[in-house]
């Protein structure tokens, strides 16, 4: 009977384990892994926030808005990870290596039957940015999303090793050490425009 329980426990653990094709092997992958936390400011918890980072080209300009060049974080979605005793939600995104800069923040506020939006394009040119190399897993800390009058904003709030380790443990998909990466201010030209004709959202 005891052997049966051991076999059942092993089967359950195997089901809970992260499949190998979903794991990120630090130092081996040709891509990079970026981990970011987003926490809503206590006074502005109603909006849904979108935080957009975009890759920069060799000249320091934003590349095209497409899946391989962006890190787009949406709060209150199934793709995020919540960790007990840590504020906000966390996102793990595999990206092409390179330099990334904060393009914009967008907030959508639901008020009964009407939706209001708040754009937060960083016209800059100075903006938070970071670099990530092939095979690196980096943690950018927890950013606070807020409304500043009618503008959506996101600011770095906390960058701690224990937070990064808690997120990595909860995610269960990072094989190797995650590095803390502090953003630096960098110039990137911006010409704000609507994302598309059906949206009020603006990006650089």
């Amino acid at each position: 009977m005891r052997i049966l329980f051991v076999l059942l426990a092993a089967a359950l653990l195997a089901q809970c384990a992260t499949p190998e094709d979903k794991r990120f092997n630090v130092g081996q992958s040709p891509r990079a892994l970026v981990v970011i936390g987003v926490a809503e400011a206590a006074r502005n918890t109603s909006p849904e926030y979108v935080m957009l980072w975009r890759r920069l080209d060799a000249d320091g300009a934003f590349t095209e808005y497409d899946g391989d060049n962006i890190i787009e974080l949406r709060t209150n979605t199934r793709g995020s990870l919540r960790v007990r005793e840590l504020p906000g939600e966390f996102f793990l995104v595999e990206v092409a290596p390179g330099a990334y800069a904060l393009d914009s923040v967008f907030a959508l506020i639901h008020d009964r039957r009407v939706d209001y939006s708040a754009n937060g394009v960083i016209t800059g040119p100075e903006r938070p940015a970071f670099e990530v190399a092939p095979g690196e897993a980096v943690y950018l800390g927890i950013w606070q999303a807020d409304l500043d009058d009618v503008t959506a904003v996101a600011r770095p709030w906390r960058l701690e090793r224990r937070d990064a380790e808690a997120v990595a443990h909860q995610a269960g998909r990072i094989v190797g050490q995650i590095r803390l990466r502090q953003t630096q201010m960098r110039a990137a030209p911006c010409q704000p425009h609507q994302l598309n004709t059906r949206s009020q959202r603006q990006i650089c």
Side-chain angles (χ1 to χ4, degrees):
M1 192 69 171
R2 188 174 297 174
I3 295 174
L4 179 60
F5 281 123
V6 170
L7 291 173
L8 286 172
L12 286 172
L13 285 172
Q15 289 180 354
C16 294
T18 304
E20 287 193 17
D21 61 346
K22 296 292 184 181
R23 293 178 185 171
F24 183 85
N25 291 283
V26 175
Q28 298 181 27
S29 175
R31 293 173 65 76
L33 183 71
V34 178
V35 183
I36 309 175
V38 180
E40 301 159 341
R43 64 180 180 274
N44 280 318
T45 58
S46 296
E48 296 177 3
Y49 294 95
V50 182
M51 188 179 186
L52 175 64
W53 297 80
R54 284 170 64 190
R55 192 151 61 103
L56 303 175
D57 62 21
D59 297 322
F62 283 116
T63 53
E64 291 296 320
Y65 176 87
D66 66 39
D68 206 40
N69 292 324
I70 66 173
I71 301 171
E72 193 167 57
L73 315 175
R74 295 176 178 270
T75 61
N76 302 310
T77 61
R78 290 186 178 181
S80 66
L81 176 72
R82 294 189 181 269
V83 180
R84 187 177 179 181
E85 298 183 356
L86 293 187
E89 49 197 302
F90 297 86
F91 302 84
L92 291 81
V93 187
E94 281 196 40
V95 298
Y100 288 79
L102 184 58
D103 175 301
S104 54
V105 182
F106 180 77
L108 187 63
I109 306 103
H110 303 287
D111 184 10
R112 297 182 182 178
R113 296 183 179 181
V114 181
D115 289 342
Y116 300 93
S117 62
N119 276 295
V121 177
I122 301 175
T123 54
E126 295 290 322
R127 63 191 64 245
F130 68 94
E131 292 191 24
V132 61
E136 267 196 317
V138 299
Y139 175 68
L140 301 187
I142 301 173
W143 290 64
Q144 185 184 72
D146 198 358
L147 291 177
D148 187 354
D149 195 9
V150 293
T151 303
V153 296
R155 302 180 178 95
W157 178 63
R158 189 168 90 186
L159 179 62
E160 294 185 2
R161 164 62 57 186
R162 62 181 181 179
D163 292 351
E165 292 174 349
V167 174
H169 177 75
Q170 179 82 13
R173 56 172 291 199
I174 304 173
V175 182
Q177 188 174 18
I178 186 170
R179 296 181 178 178
L180 271 59
R181 184 64 40 86
Q182 189 167 9
T183 58
Q184 305 293 331
M185 297 303 288
R186 178 169 176 170
C190 176
Q191 295 181 339
H193 62 277
Q194 281 184 246
L195 178 60
N196 55 55
T197 56
R198 296 171 296 174
S199 173
Q200 294 299 314
R201 181 180 167 194
Q202 291 188 336
I203 64 172
C204 282

